[in-house]
Amino acid sequence: MLLSGFIYPLDTMPAIPHFIGSLFPVSYFIRLSRAVFTKGVGLSYVQVWNDALVLGMYCVVVIVVAARNFKQRLD
């Protein structure tokens, strides 16, 4: 949570912690939810679209990996 931008802003972090923090999907969700709830912006805002697309890509990757690892056994 420290590297996600929830407590400390990602923009003020040095390069290496900023890169590590950008690997976690929670950092994109926090930025997306802050933009929607506190600023009141909609999907017309470019940064909201970028964060939503990154979260969508994370979802697709997780679903594909989970589907490949799932083995259904018929007994």
Side-chain angles (χ1 to χ4, degrees):
M1 287 302 284
L2 290 175
L3 295 176
S4 67
F6 181 69
I7 297 173
Y8 304 110
L10 285 176
D11 298 335
T12 61
M13 291 184 187
I16 294 173
H18 181 76
F19 175 74
I20 294 170
S22 66
L23 295 176
F24 300 122
V26 70
S27 60
Y28 297 101
F29 179 75
I30 288 172
R31 208 166 36 183
L32 180 85
S33 62
R34 278 188 182 159
V36 170
F37 289 118
T38 61
K39 297 177 186 174
V41 296
L43 288 176
S44 61
Y45 191 59
V46 175
Q47 186 65 36
V48 172
W49 269 108
N50 292 339
D51 292 338
L53 287 175
V54 170
L55 283 175
M57 287 188 293
Y58 269 113
C59 289
V60 168
V61 168
V62 168
I63 289 172
V64 167
V65 169
R68 286 182 165 259
N69 289 333
F70 180 72
K71 294 180 182 177
Q72 184 176 10
R73 296 185 184 193
L74 296 174
D75 291 324

